[in-house]
Amino acid sequence: MSETVTVNELATHDSAHEPTATGERADLLEALAKHRHFLRFTTRDLTDEQAGCRTTASQLCLGGLIKHVTAVERTWAQFILDGPSAMPDFTTMAEADWARRADEFRMLPGETLGGVLADYAEAARRTDELVAALPDLDATQPLPKAPWSEPGARWSARRVLMHIIAETAQHAGHADIIRESLDGAKTMG
């Protein structure tokens, strides 16, 4: 049986456990929180089945987008701490590895929208705590091996956080189109 996730259930952010961040960190975390909200808001009042529906030519669905953004945020936050060892060597991935990665973009049997949203809230909480506690946003790590990475490039914690913000905002826009195609609902407007 599918349950509907309501707007109230989307408000999983607990301000009592909010990390203390000031200045630039507070600004970056505020921008990220805004885009997380827009992404989560696209799933309001949906059933698990609706969250797994493809409504465009793309393979993307709302639940899958949230799963993907969760994985991106979790992995890049770990990268800030551990560098490229937090990620696979994308240059050596086989077809089966790419197929498993594609599962990150869809709702799989047994997954629920509530579960996907709870996992996202946990990843967000951990990222927020990490950013608030980092000794230096300028600390860098070498990028992992990937066809899209410039050889020898390094990213600072700040740049990683800006990448997470950009990914979240981009996918919130995708989610808005998918939701409007599903039932006409829009995030804004």
Side-chain angles (χ1 to χ4, degrees), residues 164-188:
I164 293 169
I165 293 167
E167 278 271 332
T168 305
Q170 178 181 11
H171 290 311
H174 293 148
D176 203 29
I177 291 167
I178 292 168
R179 178 62 190 260
E180 187 174 0
S181 297
L182 178 67
D183 63 4
K186 298 178 191 175
T187 301
M188 296 182 354

Side-chain angles (χ1 to χ4, degrees), residues 37-169:
H37 166 76
F38 286 137
L39 178 58
R40 286 190 316 265
F41 191 67
T42 61
T43 66
R44 70 197 176 282
D45 303 324
L46 291 182
T47 65
D48 296 333
E49 286 80 17
Q50 289 171 313
C53 284
R54 291 178 41 218
T55 63
T56 66
S58 167
Q59 293 291 318
L60 299 174
C61 66
L62 292 170
L65 271 175
I66 292 172
K67 282 177 55 179
H68 170 67
V69 171
T70 301
V72 165
E73 184 166 328
R74 187 176 283 133
T75 302
W76 280 106
Q78 197 62 45
F79 170 85
I80 290 171
L81 297 171
D82 299 332
S85 67
M87 298 180 178
D89 178 345
F90 291 99
T91 63
T92 64
M93 287 177 59
E95 190 174 321
D97 299 317
W98 288 107
R100 277 190 300 280
R101 185 169 161 80
D103 284 345
E104 169 181 300
F105 291 91
R106 9 179 205 271
M107 295 275 291
L108 300 175
E111 291 180 330
T112 64
L113 179 56
V116 168
L117 288 167
D119 196 32
Y120 186 36
E122 176 61 17
R125 182 192 62 75
R126 293 172 95 190
T127 299
D128 291 353
E129 288 176 355
L130 171 66
V131 171
L134 279 174
D136 186 3
L137 290 178
D138 291 324
T140 65
Q141 297 279 10
L143 288 180
K145 289 182 182 179
W148 50 83
S149 293
E150 181 183 332
R154 298 179 69 88
W155 277 13
S156 67
R158 177 184 297 101
R159 183 153 179 196
V160 169
L161 188 57
M162 290 187 316
H163 178 70
I164 293 169
I165 293 167
E167 278 271 332
T168 305

